[in-house]
Amino acid sequence: GENVEQHPSTLSVQEGDSAVIKCTYSDSASNYFPWYKQELGKRPQLIIDIRSNVGEKKDQRIAVTLNKTAKHFSLHITETQPEDSAVYFCAATPGANSKLTFGKGITLSVRP
Amino acid sequence: KAGVTQTPRYLIKTRGQQVTLSCSPISGHRSVSWYQQTPGQGLQFLFEYFSETQRNKGNFPGRFSGRQFSNSRSEMNVSTLELGDSALYLCASSWTGGSSYEQYFGPGTRLTVT
């Protein structure tokens, strides 16, 4: 089955800097890659996703890139703000009839 | 549209007891997935129900079971509770029609086993 790994497990950046979180996946059939943000005590929220027919997707300060050959995808956050501090989960799935496999999450801390 | 709801939000049970958790998906969503979240382990998949049938299953013991009703509401049951079952249990709903895979999470049920 699919295996999703996130590195590093924690990341600390200065406010205003950029943050990059990388995930790798194992199943070459995976074609949907969402990112979730979970603030302390709250539910995971879908923030951006990408499908395998697209190499990059942007939404204001966040972007996701996908490298199918290397089987990795990354979340890019520019001009980080303290409210970006949270746990970020990546996930992958081969399709709608398959389960979504999550990475273990990365804790992002933005220092003011 | 109302979001995904879960009841109860908090539960304290004793080892050996059983517990039932409930999840109401977003209106129109037919798939409900359940996850166990513990510190350091991320979101571990329990099972997914679609149109009242279990479609996918994770690697949890048979003490964990679920079901889905005709209105897409889902319940999860854990029998013979163990201390290690203490966790946040999250459900997520999705439409899974066409190429739509987005899952939306409920607030979770915090289960404490003493």
Side-chain angles (χ1 to χ4, degrees):
Chain A
E2 177 64 277
N3 182 46
V4 177
E5 295 189 352
Q6 291 186 243
H7 301 281
S9 59
T10 62
L11 179 63
S12 180
V13 299
Q14 193 71 38
E15 182 178 357
D17 287 350
S18 294
V20 181
I21 304 169
K22 181 178 174 179
C23 281
T24 59
Y25 62 99
S26 62
D27 188 348
S28 57
S30 285
N31 59 12
Y32 175 66
F33 308 90
W35 284 90
Y36 286 82
K37 173 185 179 182
Q38 187 177 30
E39 296 175 75
L40 192 62
K42 296 189 176 180
R43 72 186 78 187
Q45 297 270 15
L46 177 65
I47 57 172
I48 195 167
D49 56 14
I50 192 168
R51 301 183 191 279
S52 59
N53 60 346
V54 175
E56 182 176 1
K57 184 177 179 181
K58 290 183 180 179
D59 183 3
Q60 300 183 341
R61 295 188 298 108
I62 61 173
V64 57
T65 57
L66 172 65
N67 183 326
K68 288 185 291 184
T69 302
K71 288 193 277 189
H72 69 71
F73 56 112
S74 300
L75 178 70
H76 305 253
I77 306 174
T78 59
E79 301 173 8
T80 53
Q81 301 167 4
E83 51 264 38
D84 294 327
S85 295
V87 178
Y88 290 82
F89 293 96
C90 61
T93 180
N97 294 330
S98 302
K99 68 177 184 178
L100 195 56
T101 300
F102 284 83
K104 290 189 185 300
I106 177 173
T107 301
L108 174 65
S109 300
V110 180
R111 304 186 303 273
Chain B
K1 264 186 188 177
V4 181
T5 59
Q6 292 185 246
T7 56
R9 294 293 311 280
Y10 303 92
L11 264 180
I12 300 176
K13 290 287 188 179
T14 303
R15 194 171 46 183
Q17 289 186 315
Q18 74 163 16
V19 67
T20 299
L21 313 181
S22 180
C23 173
S24 293
I26 292 171
S27 178
H29 285 192
R30 297 167 62 191
S31 167
V32 175
S33 297
W34 287 89
Y35 298 88
Q36 182 193 67
Q37 186 174 31
T38 54
Q41 292 302 310
L43 295 161
Q44 293 187 287
F45 175 78
L46 282 152
F47 29 67
E48 181 213 2
Y49 285 86
F50 178 78
S51 293
E52 302 179 64
T53 301
Q54 188 180 85
R55 183 161 68 174
N56 290 291
K57 188 177 187 305
N59 298 321
F60 277 79
R63 299 185 297 107
F64 292 82
S65 63
R67 59 177 176 169
Q68 187 179 35
F69 302 94
S70 58
N71 62 357
S72 293
R73 188 177 71 84
S74 178
E75 287 183 346
M76 187 191 110
N77 185 276
V78 187
S79 63
T80 319
L81 284 166
E82 301 178 358
L83 295 178
D85 296 334
S86 294
L88 179 67
Y89 290 88
L90 292 158
C91 73
S93 77
S94 60
W95 181 51
T96 64
S99 60
S100 173
Y101 306 161
E102 292 87 352
Q103 286 191 9
Y104 297 92
F105 283 87
T109 295
R110 173 74 61 184
L111 172 64
T112 303
V113 182
T114 62

mmCIF file of all heavy atoms in Angstrom, chain B residues 57-102:
data_model
loop_
_atom_site.group_PDB
_atom_site.id
_atom_site.type_symbol
_atom_site.label_atom_id
_atom_site.label_comp_id
_atom_site.label_asym_id
_atom_site.label_seq_id
_atom_site.Cartn_x
_atom_site.Cartn_y
_atom_site.Cartn_z
ATOM 1 N N LYS B 57 -10.267 -0.483 4.713
ATOM 2 C CA LYS B 57 -10.033 -0.798 6.117
ATOM 3 C C LYS B 57 -8.562 -0.631 6.433
ATOM 4 O O LYS B 57 -7.696 -1.013 5.636
ATOM 5 C CB LYS B 57 -10.475 -2.228 6.405
ATOM 6 C CG LYS B 57 -10.464 -2.614 7.879
ATOM 7 C CD LYS B 57 -10.992 -4.041 8.046
ATOM 8 C CE LYS B 57 -11.162 -4.388 9.517
ATOM 9 N NZ LYS B 57 -9.924 -4.188 10.303
ATOM 10 N N GLY B 58 -8.271 -0.071 7.592
ATOM 11 C CA GLY B 58 -6.896 0.086 8.042
ATOM 12 C C GLY B 58 -6.456 -1.115 8.861
ATOM 13 O O GLY B 58 -7.125 -2.144 8.909
ATOM 14 N N ASN B 59 -5.305 -0.973 9.513
ATOM 15 C CA ASN B 59 -4.713 -2.080 10.259
ATOM 16 C C ASN B 59 -4.994 -1.984 11.749
ATOM 17 O O ASN B 59 -4.080 -1.900 12.567
ATOM 18 C CB ASN B 59 -3.209 -2.124 10.014
ATOM 19 C CG ASN B 59 -2.875 -2.371 8.555
ATOM 20 O OD1 ASN B 59 -3.529 -3.158 7.886
ATOM 21 N ND2 ASN B 59 -1.872 -1.666 8.058
ATOM 22 N N PHE B 60 -6.237 -1.987 12.105
ATOM 23 C CA PHE B 60 -6.632 -1.948 13.500
ATOM 24 C C PHE B 60 -7.302 -3.268 13.867
ATOM 25 O O PHE B 60 -7.875 -3.943 13.010
ATOM 26 C CB PHE B 60 -7.606 -0.780 13.748
ATOM 27 C CG PHE B 60 -6.911 0.537 13.951
ATOM 28 C CD1 PHE B 60 -6.443 1.259 12.865
ATOM 29 C CD2 PHE B 60 -6.716 1.047 15.228
ATOM 30 C CE1 PHE B 60 -5.786 2.467 13.040
ATOM 31 C CE2 PHE B 60 -6.070 2.262 15.418
ATOM 32 C CZ PHE B 60 -5.609 2.965 14.330
ATOM 33 N N PRO B 61 -7.229 -3.636 15.159
ATOM 34 C CA PRO B 61 -7.839 -4.911 15.567
ATOM 35 C C PRO B 61 -9.354 -4.893 15.418
ATOM 36 O O PRO B 61 -9.969 -3.841 15.277
ATOM 37 C CB PRO B 61 -7.419 -5.041 17.044
ATOM 38 C CG PRO B 61 -7.054 -3.672 17.481
ATOM 39 C CD PRO B 61 -6.532 -2.964 16.275
ATOM 40 N N GLY B 62 -9.950 -6.086 15.472
ATOM 41 C CA GLY B 62 -11.374 -6.237 15.283
ATOM 42 C C GLY B 62 -12.225 -5.551 16.349
ATOM 43 O O GLY B 62 -13.437 -5.430 16.185
ATOM 44 N N ARG B 63 -11.574 -5.088 17.430
ATOM 45 C CA ARG B 63 -12.329 -4.360 18.465
ATOM 46 C C ARG B 63 -12.897 -3.045 17.907
ATOM 47 O O ARG B 63 -13.826 -2.475 18.469
ATOM 48 C CB ARG B 63 -11.421 -4.029 19.652
ATOM 49 C CG ARG B 63 -10.826 -5.224 20.348
ATOM 50 C CD ARG B 63 -10.044 -4.803 21.591
ATOM 51 N NE ARG B 63 -8.898 -3.952 21.305
ATOM 52 C CZ ARG B 63 -8.843 -2.658 21.566
ATOM 53 N NH1 ARG B 63 -9.884 -2.037 22.107
ATOM 54 N NH2 ARG B 63 -7.752 -1.956 21.289
ATOM 55 N N PHE B 64 -12.295 -2.595 16.840
ATOM 56 C CA PHE B 64 -12.744 -1.349 16.194
ATOM 57 C C PHE B 64 -13.679 -1.716 15.045
ATOM 58 O O PHE B 64 -13.307 -2.478 14.142
ATOM 59 C CB PHE B 64 -11.551 -0.565 15.658
ATOM 60 C CG PHE B 64 -10.656 -0.015 16.724
ATOM 61 C CD1 PHE B 64 -9.690 -0.808 17.324
ATOM 62 C CD2 PHE B 64 -10.776 1.316 17.132
ATOM 63 C CE1 PHE B 64 -8.867 -0.301 18.316
ATOM 64 C CE2 PHE B 64 -9.949 1.833 18.117
ATOM 65 C CZ PHE B 64 -8.991 1.018 18.708
ATOM 66 N N SER B 65 -14.871 -1.218 15.082
ATOM 67 C CA SER B 65 -15.836 -1.508 14.025
ATOM 68 C C SER B 65 -16.647 -0.259 13.718
ATOM 69 O O SER B 65 -16.623 0.715 14.474
ATOM 70 C CB SER B 65 -16.770 -2.652 14.433
ATOM 71 O OG SER B 65 -17.530 -2.279 15.569
ATOM 72 N N GLY B 66 -17.340 -0.310 12.621
ATOM 73 C CA GLY B 66 -18.140 0.849 12.254
ATOM 74 C C GLY B 66 -19.336 0.438 11.435
ATOM 75 O O GLY B 66 -19.513 -0.737 11.075
ATOM 76 N N ARG B 67 -20.158 1.420 11.149
ATOM 77 C CA ARG B 67 -21.273 1.196 10.240
ATOM 78 C C ARG B 67 -21.734 2.541 9.700
ATOM 79 O O ARG B 67 -21.402 3.598 10.257
ATOM 80 C CB ARG B 67 -22.416 0.471 10.927
ATOM 81 C CG ARG B 67 -23.006 1.171 12.155
ATOM 82 C CD ARG B 67 -24.182 0.385 12.689
ATOM 83 N NE ARG B 67 -24.713 0.965 13.919
ATOM 84 C CZ ARG B 67 -25.867 0.595 14.465
ATOM 85 N NH1 ARG B 67 -26.608 -0.346 13.887
ATOM 86 N NH2 ARG B 67 -26.292 1.154 15.585
ATOM 87 N N GLN B 68 -22.504 2.474 8.640
ATOM 88 C CA GLN B 68 -23.044 3.694 8.050
ATOM 89 C C GLN B 68 -24.522 3.471 7.774
ATOM 90 O O GLN B 68 -24.934 2.389 7.336
ATOM 91 C CB GLN B 68 -22.302 4.045 6.746
ATOM 92 C CG GLN B 68 -22.714 5.388 6.174
ATOM 93 C CD GLN B 68 -21.955 5.732 4.907
ATOM 94 O OE1 GLN B 68 -21.638 4.861 4.103
ATOM 95 N NE2 GLN B 68 -21.662 7.006 4.720
ATOM 96 N N PHE B 69 -25.293 4.481 8.004
ATOM 97 C CA PHE B 69 -26.732 4.412 7.822
ATOM 98 C C PHE B 69 -27.130 4.974 6.459
ATOM 99 O O PHE B 69 -26.325 5.585 5.757
ATOM 100 C CB PHE B 69 -27.421 5.164 8.955
ATOM 101 C CG PHE B 69 -27.057 4.634 10.325
ATOM 102 C CD1 PHE B 69 -26.020 5.194 11.051
ATOM 103 C CD2 PHE B 69 -27.739 3.552 10.874
ATOM 104 C CE1 PHE B 69 -25.665 4.700 12.307
ATOM 105 C CE2 PHE B 69 -27.393 3.055 12.116
ATOM 106 C CZ PHE B 69 -26.353 3.626 12.828
ATOM 107 N N SER B 70 -28.388 4.784 6.125
ATOM 108 C CA SER B 70 -28.853 5.201 4.797
ATOM 109 C C SER B 70 -28.778 6.717 4.596
ATOM 110 O O SER B 70 -28.724 7.194 3.472
ATOM 111 C CB SER B 70 -30.289 4.719 4.576
ATOM 112 O OG SER B 70 -31.148 5.217 5.578
ATOM 113 N N ASN B 71 -28.728 7.485 5.681
ATOM 114 C CA ASN B 71 -28.606 8.948 5.560
ATOM 115 C C ASN B 71 -27.135 9.390 5.582
ATOM 116 O O ASN B 71 -26.846 10.568 5.706
ATOM 117 C CB ASN B 71 -29.384 9.646 6.672
ATOM 118 C CG ASN B 71 -28.851 9.296 8.058
ATOM 119 O OD1 ASN B 71 -27.932 8.487 8.195
ATOM 120 N ND2 ASN B 71 -29.443 9.901 9.077
ATOM 121 N N SER B 72 -26.228 8.418 5.458
ATOM 122 C CA SER B 72 -24.767 8.613 5.421
ATOM 123 C C SER B 72 -24.145 8.873 6.785
ATOM 124 O O SER B 72 -22.920 8.902 6.878
ATOM 125 C CB SER B 72 -24.358 9.724 4.445
ATOM 126 O OG SER B 72 -24.638 9.326 3.127
ATOM 127 N N ARG B 73 -24.925 9.049 7.812
ATOM 128 C CA ARG B 73 -24.350 9.168 9.151
ATOM 129 C C ARG B 73 -23.616 7.879 9.495
ATOM 130 O O ARG B 73 -24.003 6.787 9.057
ATOM 131 C CB ARG B 73 -25.438 9.442 10.183
ATOM 132 C CG ARG B 73 -24.917 9.781 11.574
ATOM 133 C CD ARG B 73 -26.071 10.101 12.524
ATOM 134 N NE ARG B 73 -26.861 8.925 12.869
ATOM 135 C CZ ARG B 73 -26.564 8.058 13.834
ATOM 136 N NH1 ARG B 73 -25.459 8.241 14.568
ATOM 137 N NH2 ARG B 73 -27.348 7.031 14.089
ATOM 138 N N SER B 74 -22.542 8.019 10.237
ATOM 139 C CA SER B 74 -21.725 6.847 10.544
ATOM 140 C C SER B 74 -21.460 6.770 12.037
ATOM 141 O O SER B 74 -21.423 7.788 12.737
ATOM 142 C CB SER B 74 -20.396 6.913 9.775
ATOM 143 O OG SER B 74 -19.564 5.814 10.086
ATOM 144 N N GLU B 75 -21.310 5.567 12.505
ATOM 145 C CA GLU B 75 -20.916 5.331 13.886
ATOM 146 C C GLU B 75 -19.683 4.450 13.917
ATOM 147 O O GLU B 75 -19.482 3.615 13.029
ATOM 148 C CB GLU B 75 -22.039 4.624 14.660
ATOM 149 C CG GLU B 75 -23.229 5.498 14.977
ATOM 150 C CD GLU B 75 -24.271 4.773 15.809
ATOM 151 O OE1 GLU B 75 -24.208 3.521 15.932
ATOM 152 O OE2 GLU B 75 -25.166 5.453 16.335
ATOM 153 N N MET B 76 -18.879 4.665 14.948
ATOM 154 C CA MET B 76 -17.705 3.842 15.176
ATOM 155 C C MET B 76 -17.811 3.268 16.582
ATOM 156 O O MET B 76 -18.190 3.983 17.515
ATOM 157 C CB MET B 76 -16.451 4.704 15.062
ATOM 158 C CG MET B 76 -15.171 3.934 15.121
ATOM 159 S SD MET B 76 -13.766 5.036 15.303
ATOM 160 C CE MET B 76 -13.319 4.650 16.970
ATOM 161 N N ASN B 77 -17.507 2.006 16.726
ATOM 162 C CA ASN B 77 -17.579 1.333 18.016
ATOM 163 C C ASN B 77 -16.233 0.742 18.380
ATOM 164 O O ASN B 77 -15.541 0.167 17.528
ATOM 165 C CB ASN B 77 -18.644 0.234 17.960
ATOM 166 C CG ASN B 77 -18.863 -0.426 19.310
ATOM 167 O OD1 ASN B 77 -18.143 -1.336 19.682
ATOM 168 N ND2 ASN B 77 -19.832 0.051 20.049
ATOM 169 N N VAL B 78 -15.854 0.915 19.629
ATOM 170 C CA VAL B 78 -14.649 0.264 20.128
ATOM 171 C C VAL B 78 -15.065 -0.573 21.336
ATOM 172 O O VAL B 78 -15.632 -0.043 22.301
ATOM 173 C CB VAL B 78 -13.560 1.263 20.548
ATOM 174 C CG1 VAL B 78 -12.272 0.529 20.895
ATOM 175 C CG2 VAL B 78 -13.318 2.293 19.459
ATOM 176 N N SER B 79 -14.816 -1.851 21.273
ATOM 177 C CA SER B 79 -15.181 -2.737 22.375
ATOM 178 C C SER B 79 -13.938 -3.027 23.219
ATOM 179 O O SER B 79 -12.804 -2.859 22.759
ATOM 180 C CB SER B 79 -15.777 -4.041 21.834
ATOM 181 O OG SER B 79 -14.816 -4.727 21.064
ATOM 182 N N THR B 80 -14.161 -3.464 24.427
ATOM 183 C CA THR B 80 -13.087 -3.851 25.352
ATOM 184 C C THR B 80 -11.955 -2.833 25.319
ATOM 185 O O THR B 80 -10.816 -3.108 24.914
ATOM 186 C CB THR B 80 -12.539 -5.259 25.003
ATOM 187 O OG1 THR B 80 -13.604 -6.134 24.655
ATOM 188 C CG2 THR B 80 -11.807 -5.841 26.200
ATOM 189 N N LEU B 81 -12.272 -1.632 25.724
ATOM 190 C CA LEU B 81 -11.321 -0.531 25.648
ATOM 191 C C LEU B 81 -10.027 -0.820 26.390
ATOM 192 O O LEU B 81 -10.021 -1.434 27.465
ATOM 193 C CB LEU B 81 -11.960 0.734 26.210
ATOM 194 C CG LEU B 81 -12.980 1.433 25.302
ATOM 195 C CD1 LEU B 81 -13.784 2.446 26.088
ATOM 196 C CD2 LEU B 81 -12.282 2.087 24.124
ATOM 197 N N GLU B 82 -8.927 -0.360 25.781
ATOM 198 C CA GLU B 82 -7.601 -0.450 26.383
ATOM 199 C C GLU B 82 -7.073 0.963 26.602
ATOM 200 O O GLU B 82 -7.523 1.912 25.961
ATOM 201 C CB GLU B 82 -6.665 -1.235 25.463
ATOM 202 C CG GLU B 82 -7.139 -2.646 25.177
ATOM 203 C CD GLU B 82 -6.216 -3.381 24.211
ATOM 204 O OE1 GLU B 82 -5.225 -2.758 23.747
ATOM 205 O OE2 GLU B 82 -6.489 -4.561 23.912
ATOM 206 N N LEU B 83 -6.094 1.074 27.515
ATOM 207 C CA LEU B 83 -5.522 2.395 27.793
ATOM 208 C C LEU B 83 -4.981 3.045 26.518
ATOM 209 O O LEU B 83 -5.092 4.251 26.316
ATOM 210 C CB LEU B 83 -4.410 2.275 28.841
ATOM 211 C CG LEU B 83 -4.844 1.814 30.230
ATOM 212 C CD1 LEU B 83 -3.622 1.693 31.151
ATOM 213 C CD2 LEU B 83 -5.868 2.764 30.836
ATOM 214 N N GLY B 84 -4.413 2.231 25.642
ATOM 215 C CA GLY B 84 -3.828 2.742 24.398
ATOM 216 C C GLY B 84 -4.844 3.256 23.390
ATOM 217 O O GLY B 84 -4.454 3.819 22.372
ATOM 218 N N ASP B 85 -6.121 3.069 23.681
ATOM 219 C CA ASP B 85 -7.154 3.586 22.770
ATOM 220 C C ASP B 85 -7.430 5.056 23.027
ATOM 221 O O ASP B 85 -8.190 5.684 22.272
ATOM 222 C CB ASP B 85 -8.453 2.786 22.939
ATOM 223 C CG ASP B 85 -8.311 1.327 22.549
ATOM 224 O OD1 ASP B 85 -7.438 1.027 21.711
ATOM 225 O OD2 ASP B 85 -9.056 0.488 23.095
ATOM 226 N N SER B 86 -6.838 5.607 24.071
ATOM 227 C CA SER B 86 -7.001 7.039 24.339
ATOM 228 C C SER B 86 -6.440 7.829 23.173
ATOM 229 O O SER B 86 -5.258 7.671 22.812
ATOM 230 C CB SER B 86 -6.271 7.432 25.627
ATOM 231 O OG SER B 86 -6.855 6.818 26.745
ATOM 232 N N ALA B 87 -7.268 8.656 22.563
ATOM 233 C CA ALA B 87 -6.864 9.370 21.352
ATOM 234 C C ALA B 87 -7.965 10.328 20.942
ATOM 235 O O ALA B 87 -9.055 10.336 21.525
ATOM 236 C CB ALA B 87 -6.601 8.386 20.204
ATOM 237 N N LEU B 88 -7.643 11.123 19.926
ATOM 238 C CA LEU B 88 -8.659 11.946 19.263
ATOM 239 C C LEU B 88 -9.142 11.158 18.052
ATOM 240 O O LEU B 88 -8.338 10.726 17.221
ATOM 241 C CB LEU B 88 -8.066 13.278 18.826
ATOM 242 C CG LEU B 88 -9.012 14.243 18.099
ATOM 243 C CD1 LEU B 88 -10.094 14.738 19.059
ATOM 244 C CD2 LEU B 88 -8.238 15.416 17.520
ATOM 245 N N TYR B 89 -10.428 10.914 17.975
ATOM 246 C CA TYR B 89 -11.002 10.184 16.845
ATOM 247 C C TYR B 89 -11.696 11.185 15.927
ATOM 248 O O TYR B 89 -12.623 11.881 16.324
ATOM 249 C CB TYR B 89 -11.956 9.101 17.330
ATOM 250 C CG TYR B 89 -11.218 7.975 18.007
ATOM 251 C CD1 TYR B 89 -10.933 8.030 19.369
ATOM 252 C CD2 TYR B 89 -10.733 6.896 17.270
ATOM 253 C CE1 TYR B 89 -10.210 7.024 19.986
ATOM 254 C CE2 TYR B 89 -10.004 5.885 17.878
ATOM 255 C CZ TYR B 89 -9.747 5.958 19.242
ATOM 256 O OH TYR B 89 -9.014 4.968 19.836
ATOM 257 N N LEU B 90 -11.203 11.212 14.710
ATOM 258 C CA LEU B 90 -11.697 12.158 13.716
ATOM 259 C C LEU B 90 -12.435 11.422 12.617
ATOM 260 O O LEU B 90 -12.022 10.344 12.200
ATOM 261 C CB LEU B 90 -10.532 12.926 13.087
ATOM 262 C CG LEU B 90 -9.779 13.902 13.980
ATOM 263 C CD1 LEU B 90 -8.386 14.160 13.437
ATOM 264 C CD2 LEU B 90 -10.541 15.207 14.107
ATOM 265 N N CYS B 91 -13.512 11.999 12.165
ATOM 266 C CA CYS B 91 -14.129 11.472 10.956
ATOM 267 C C CYS B 91 -14.030 12.551 9.876
ATOM 268 O O CYS B 91 -13.869 13.742 10.179
ATOM 269 C CB CYS B 91 -15.578 11.050 11.182
ATOM 270 S SG CYS B 91 -16.752 12.405 11.361
ATOM 271 N N ALA B 92 -14.073 12.109 8.640
ATOM 272 C CA ALA B 92 -13.995 13.025 7.510
ATOM 273 C C ALA B 92 -14.983 12.568 6.448
ATOM 274 O O ALA B 92 -15.144 11.364 6.218
ATOM 275 C CB ALA B 92 -12.588 13.047 6.928
ATOM 276 N N SER B 93 -15.651 13.501 5.829
ATOM 277 C CA SER B 93 -16.598 13.127 4.783
ATOM 278 C C SER B 93 -16.133 13.671 3.430
ATOM 279 O O SER B 93 -15.403 14.655 3.348
ATOM 280 C CB SER B 93 -18.008 13.636 5.108
ATOM 281 O OG SER B 93 -18.153 15.027 4.863
ATOM 282 N N SER B 94 -16.545 12.966 2.387
ATOM 283 C CA SER B 94 -16.245 13.411 1.036
ATOM 284 C C SER B 94 -17.345 12.944 0.101
ATOM 285 O O SER B 94 -18.106 12.032 0.423
ATOM 286 C CB SER B 94 -14.878 12.888 0.569
ATOM 287 O OG SER B 94 -14.858 11.472 0.574
ATOM 288 N N TRP B 95 -17.398 13.593 -1.042
ATOM 289 C CA TRP B 95 -18.441 13.243 -2.016
ATOM 290 C C TRP B 95 -18.037 12.032 -2.842
ATOM 291 O O TRP B 95 -18.824 11.163 -3.095
ATOM 292 C CB TRP B 95 -18.698 14.446 -2.920
ATOM 293 C CG TRP B 95 -19.769 14.199 -3.923
ATOM 294 C CD1 TRP B 95 -21.023 13.723 -3.701
ATOM 295 C CD2 TRP B 95 -19.675 14.432 -5.334
ATOM 296 N NE1 TRP B 95 -21.719 13.641 -4.878
ATOM 297 C CE2 TRP B 95 -20.940 14.067 -5.899
ATOM 298 C CE3 TRP B 95 -18.663 14.912 -6.172
ATOM 299 C CZ2 TRP B 95 -21.186 14.170 -7.268
ATOM 300 C CZ3 TRP B 95 -18.932 15.022 -7.533
ATOM 301 C CH2 TRP B 95 -20.186 14.645 -8.055
ATOM 302 N N THR B 96 -16.775 11.968 -3.216
ATOM 303 C CA THR B 96 -16.211 10.902 -4.057
ATOM 304 C C THR B 96 -17.037 10.647 -5.303
ATOM 305 O O THR B 96 -17.245 9.512 -5.716
ATOM 306 C CB THR B 96 -16.009 9.575 -3.286
ATOM 307 O OG1 THR B 96 -17.270 9.057 -2.865
ATOM 308 C CG2 THR B 96 -15.094 9.775 -2.124
ATOM 309 N N GLY B 97 -17.499 11.736 -5.891
ATOM 310 C CA GLY B 97 -18.165 11.605 -7.173
ATOM 311 C C GLY B 97 -17.241 12.143 -8.246
ATOM 312 O O GLY B 97 -16.592 13.155 -8.059
ATOM 313 N N GLY B 98 -17.132 11.460 -9.354
ATOM 314 C CA GLY B 98 -16.253 11.938 -10.418
ATOM 315 C C GLY B 98 -14.825 11.996 -9.943
ATOM 316 O O GLY B 98 -14.292 11.034 -9.407
ATOM 317 N N SER B 99 -14.180 13.145 -10.074
ATOM 318 C CA SER B 99 -12.792 13.281 -9.662
ATOM 319 C C SER B 99 -12.672 14.056 -8.361
ATOM 320 O O SER B 99 -11.616 14.605 -8.054
ATOM 321 C CB SER B 99 -11.990 13.985 -10.756
ATOM 322 O OG SER B 99 -12.538 15.272 -10.980
ATOM 323 N N SER B 100 -13.744 14.091 -7.587
ATOM 324 C CA SER B 100 -13.714 14.854 -6.344
ATOM 325 C C SER B 100 -13.263 13.958 -5.211
ATOM 326 O O SER B 100 -13.947 12.999 -4.864
ATOM 327 C CB SER B 100 -15.105 15.425 -6.052
ATOM 328 O OG SER B 100 -15.145 16.036 -4.790
ATOM 329 N N TYR B 101 -12.103 14.262 -4.629
ATOM 330 C CA TYR B 101 -11.592 13.425 -3.554
ATOM 331 C C TYR B 101 -11.502 14.162 -2.228
ATOM 332 O O TYR B 101 -11.118 13.575 -1.233
ATOM 333 C CB TYR B 101 -10.168 12.940 -3.868
ATOM 334 C CG TYR B 101 -9.968 12.244 -5.182
ATOM 335 C CD1 TYR B 101 -8.691 12.120 -5.716
ATOM 336 C CD2 TYR B 101 -11.008 11.688 -5.900
ATOM 337 C CE1 TYR B 101 -8.464 11.480 -6.909
ATOM 338 C CE2 TYR B 101 -10.796 11.048 -7.100
ATOM 339 C CZ TYR B 101 -9.511 10.943 -7.606
ATOM 340 O OH TYR B 101 -9.284 10.306 -8.793
ATOM 341 N N GLU B 102 -11.840 15.457 -2.204
ATOM 342 C CA GLU B 102 -11.576 16.261 -1.013
ATOM 343 C C GLU B 102 -12.299 15.720 0.208
ATOM 344 O O GLU B 102 -13.490 15.429 0.155
ATOM 345 C CB GLU B 102 -12.022 17.708 -1.257
ATOM 346 C CG GLU B 102 -11.211 18.476 -2.276
ATOM 347 C CD GLU B 102 -11.711 18.280 -3.698
ATOM 348 O OE1 GLU B 102 -12.592 17.429 -3.913
ATOM 349 O OE2 GLU B 102 -11.211 18.991 -4.581
#
